[in-house]
Amino acid sequence: HVVPEYGFKCVTCEGPSMEPTIIDGSYTCVLVERFSHRVYGLGGDGDEFSSDDGELATAAKDRFRGAVDGDPMQLFIGQYEALMKGMWDQHFRSGLERGDVIIAHHPLKVSTICKRIVALPGDIIQRTDGGSRETGHRIEVPKGHIWIEGDNSCASLDSREYGCVPASLVIGKVVCRLWPLREYVSLGLDGNGLERWRCVSARISRGGRPLDARTGREQLNGSFVV
């Protein structure tokens, strides 16, 4: 009981709202850590840990220079250390930050949701899908709340539907994908009847909304912080 409640937990994600981070129909199982947001709470500017922090980042840069000189093993080791440092900063040195992918309790029904944090308390959200004309389609996130949206803005029911979400509903931050094991997932058939595939990363890191999986362009339907 202690490990899944206060340590790590496996969660199955379904639906198209987080594509291309999580592909619908792939029976994706993710690993969720449940302690950092309890220890550090809500974060700040999200830039507290830069790529220059610590000895690991310095070592990764040195090994990258070695790879440029013709040693591919140094490149592999440098990438591995950079990956480990990113995971350490996100899940062991900080709380909830903008760009984190989280699992949370649904605010309106008995269910769980997987979304990305777009804004923190005090942030001003500009909605691109409408809203209140009286406020210029802008919303200020109140204290103790977060604004969350799916990566696939056109197919996501999120804070644009039910408003800001209490941070207390957060279950944990997503670390990585455990299943499927393959690096490529099917995007379905194209107009010519040919199946399309996309390379997906097992690591689900902190960051902005990814490009649209099918068009390769930036998604303009989601909200953003002004």
Side-chain angles (χ1 to χ4, degrees), residues 3-194:
V3 173
E5 182 65 28
Y6 299 101
F8 295 91
K9 182 178 182 179
C10 296
V11 177
T12 301
C13 298
E14 301 176 353
S17 68
M18 282 300 292
E19 290 184 334
T21 305
I22 297 174
I23 304 298
D24 185 27
S26 61
Y27 305 100
T28 300
C29 178
V30 297
L31 180 66
V32 179
E33 62 90 355
R34 306 196 59 187
F35 48 84
S36 64
H37 70 288
R38 291 171 170 169
V39 175
Y40 296 101
L42 290 169
D45 58 14
D47 296 321
E48 181 179 358
F49 305 105
S50 67
S51 59
D52 295 329
D53 289 341
E55 299 178 356
L56 285 179
T58 302
K61 288 184 177 180
D62 293 340
R63 288 187 169 84
F64 180 76
R65 295 191 190 99
V68 175
D69 295 334
D71 189 349
M73 180 56 69
Q74 296 296 331
L75 174 60
F76 172 78
I77 296 175
Q79 291 175 335
Y80 177 79
E81 289 188 349
L83 173 65
M84 291 297 101
K85 181 185 182 300
M87 294 181 65
W88 177 264
D89 286 347
Q90 182 179 1
H91 298 287
F92 295 91
R93 295 181 61 193
S94 62
L96 298 175
E97 298 280 1
R98 302 183 197 92
D100 282 336
V101 176
I102 62 168
I103 301 294
H105 296 288
H106 198 289
L108 302 179
K109 59 183 179 181
V110 181
S111 179
T112 57
I113 50 178
C114 179
K115 305 293 179 184
R116 189 180 297 272
I117 298 178
V118 175
L120 298 173
D123 288 340
I124 304 295
I125 282 290
Q126 177 70 56
R127 297 187 57 165
T128 58
D129 64 329
S132 174
R133 293 184 177 180
E134 296 179 357
T135 60
H137 309 302
R138 295 187 176 186
I139 299 175
E140 181 176 358
V141 181
K143 183 178 180 180
H145 290 68
I146 55 178
W147 185 276
I148 57 177
E149 292 186 14
D151 287 347
N152 185 8
S153 303
C154 294
S156 176
L157 295 178
D158 42 45
S159 287
R160 294 170 296 173
E161 182 75 16
Y162 41 71
C164 298
V165 175
S168 58
L169 295 182
V170 175
I171 296 174
K173 293 189 286 187
V174 176
V175 179
C176 63
R177 186 189 78 250
L178 300 177
W179 183 267
L181 298 177
R182 64 183 186 274
E183 295 182 352
Y184 289 85
V185 295
S186 174
L187 296 178
L189 302 179
D190 61 15
N192 298 320
L194 300 177

